[in-house]
Amino acid sequence: MSDQRLTILAVDDEQSQLHDLARLLRSSPIVESVECSSDGHDALLKASSESYDAIFLDVRMPDLDGLELARVLRRFASPPQVVFVSAYDTGAVDAFELHALDYLRKPVARRRVEEALDRVAAVVSGPDAGEPVNGDVVAVDNVRTGATRLISRGSILYIQSHGDFVRVVNEDGRYLLRTTLADLERRWEPHGFVRVHRQYIANLTKAVEFRPLFGTTAELAFADGQTIPVARRHVAELGRRLRV
């Protein structure tokens, strides 16, 4: 990483939250300056007239919210990196499809702010500086600790419905994401994720074996030995896709 220090815009409609976030950002040795906006319209005006390395952006705001602002920022010739900050995880999927660099949960911990800043610095000073990241990252909650963690979408083995959440399973563990299987099926089908059961979506790039079972059902197996059921109505089509 170069010696370049970062210029940041912090955006939140709650003044106390904005003050705390700005304080954490200013305390980082890799930050040059932090400006603040208390609404999306003011943030857009500032971002249109000044060049920021990153915008730390609240998701839920009146009028122009964080997701809407991020969509506008993406159309800039040289868009700033976007780090979302929210008390909720419901915007995580939309956030990363907008190529957000990180997604911080309130109350924001200093460690997470530093991690996000390191990500910004790596992109800004890297060989692809100024280009958006690929968005192949998902913000999930660790089942054991409740902490938010970023995982690669490509590392996911399968997704299982779990009440108001879905359970995301990869090689390292199990995590929760507040969304629906139907929504993920629609968004992630181009990336190799396929509905194989009313309760399961599988990452076919991670499946190692398709096993027909008695009664015209089947199961998918993964390299670590985990298996998930394949419903009868999906068996024939999945078999054709996998050329079984």
Side-chain angles (χ1 to χ4, degrees):
M1 188 178 73
S2 70
D3 294 330
Q4 176 184 358
R5 298 176 70 198
L6 303 174
T7 57
I8 308 292
L9 177 63
V11 187
D12 199 314
D13 63 308
E14 298 182 21
Q15 287 300 316
S16 61
Q17 302 280 354
L18 181 60
H19 174 79
D20 289 342
L21 177 59
R23 176 179 52 80
L24 289 173
L25 291 166
R26 289 174 178 136
S27 68
S28 172
I30 65 173
V31 170
E32 175 71 27
S33 64
V34 177
E35 291 192 45
C36 296
S37 289
S38 57
D39 64 74
H41 292 289
D42 182 64
L44 181 57
L45 289 174
K46 283 186 167 69
S48 299
S49 59
E50 300 288 340
S51 179
Y52 299 101
D53 293 310
I55 297 183
F56 281 64
L57 181 57
D58 187 21
V59 173
R60 294 191 178 184
M61 295 185 295
D63 297 324
L64 185 64
D65 70 19
L67 295 174
E68 293 168 330
L69 177 56
R71 291 187 181 98
V72 176
L73 295 173
R74 284 191 66 193
R75 297 199 289 268
F76 281 24
S78 298
Q81 300 302 317
V82 172
V83 175
F84 282 104
V85 184
S86 179
Y88 310 93
D89 58 9
T90 51
V93 173
D94 287 324
F96 286 101
E97 291 193 348
L98 287 169
H99 303 296
L101 199 60
D102 208 336
Y103 193 96
L104 309 185
R105 289 283 298 277
K106 297 179 181 179
V108 181
R110 182 182 299 275
R111 174 186 60 81
R112 290 291 291 117
V113 170
E114 289 293 343
E115 288 176 355
L117 288 170
D118 286 342
R119 287 174 178 269
V120 173
V123 172
V124 169
S125 62
D128 297 320
E131 295 296 321
V133 294
N134 62 20
D136 185 25
V137 181
V138 186
V140 291
D141 287 338
N142 189 295
V143 173
R144 294 189 302 274
T145 68
T148 300
R149 179 178 176 182
L150 299 176
I151 64 172
S152 165
R153 181 173 55 204
S155 74
I156 296 171
L157 304 179
Y158 63 88
I159 306 158
Q160 178 184 8
S161 63
H162 188 71
D164 293 333
F165 295 79
V166 296
R167 176 180 284 129
V168 177
V169 180
N170 71 356
E171 297 99 333
D172 299 325
R174 298 173 177 237
Y175 308 93
L176 292 177
L177 180 63
R178 188 186 291 275
T179 187
T180 65
L181 282 186
D183 189 45
L184 291 183
E185 179 184 13
R186 176 178 60 84
R187 295 168 184 262
W188 290 4
E189 193 276 337
H191 304 283
F193 288 80
V194 175
R195 178 73 72 102
V196 298
H197 187 279
R198 66 183 180 86
Q199 292 186 313
Y200 290 91
I201 292 174
N203 182 357
L204 294 188
T205 66
K206 290 292 187 179
V208 297
E209 190 174 1
F210 177 76
R211 301 171 179 167
L213 300 175
F214 179 77
T216 69
T217 61
E219 66 181 13
L220 274 181
F222 300 92
D224 65 354
Q226 294 190 71
T227 62
I228 60 173
V230 178
R232 182 178 293 107
R233 68 190 184 94
H234 294 290
V235 168
E237 175 61 23
L238 189 58
R240 284 192 292 269
R241 292 192 62 155
L242 296 174
R243 297 181 180 178
V244 174

